[in-house]
């Protein structure tokens, strides 16, 4: 029995796929808006500063979700 079979995933693979895709899409949109303000030499609005800070903070949960759903390496796979 592999470690992945021993413990069921915390979040289903499909749900993780949706979460990661939404986070990636949101990141591209926020980044594009920020670049647009910068390219137009406009001052970045406060809402964009706050949204970017919160979005980056939420990114930590993405890493934790990935970490909790990654099986540790088996002995002999170079993970010792």
């Amino acid at each position: 029995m592999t470690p992945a079979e021993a413990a069921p995933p915390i979040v289903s693979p499909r749900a993780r796929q949706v979460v990661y895709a939404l986070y990636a899409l949101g990141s591209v949109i926020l980044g594009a808006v920020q670049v647009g303000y910068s390219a137009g030499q406009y001052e970045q609005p406060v809402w964009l500063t706050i949204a970017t800070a919160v979005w980056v903070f939420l990114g930590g949960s993405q890493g934790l979700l990935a970490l909790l759903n990654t099986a540790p390496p088996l002995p002999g796979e170079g993970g010792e």
Side-chain angles (χ1 to χ4, degrees):
M1 177 179 288
T2 67
E5 294 169 335
I10 294 170
V11 178
S12 74
R14 177 69 181 139
R16 289 194 313 266
Q17 185 180 30
V18 169
V19 168
Y20 297 150
L22 289 175
Y23 189 78
L25 179 63
S27 297
V28 169
I29 291 169
L30 270 177
V33 171
Q34 198 168 34
V35 167
Y37 274 97
S38 179
Q41 297 182 345
Y42 294 107
E43 185 176 334
Q44 180 171 300
V46 173
W47 69 264
L48 183 56
T49 302
I50 293 169
T52 302
V54 170
W55 197 255
V56 170
F57 176 77
L58 293 174
S61 67
Q62 303 300 309
L64 182 60
L65 181 61
L67 175 68
L68 294 175
N69 285 284
T70 303
L74 298 173
E77 290 185 345
E80 297 94 51

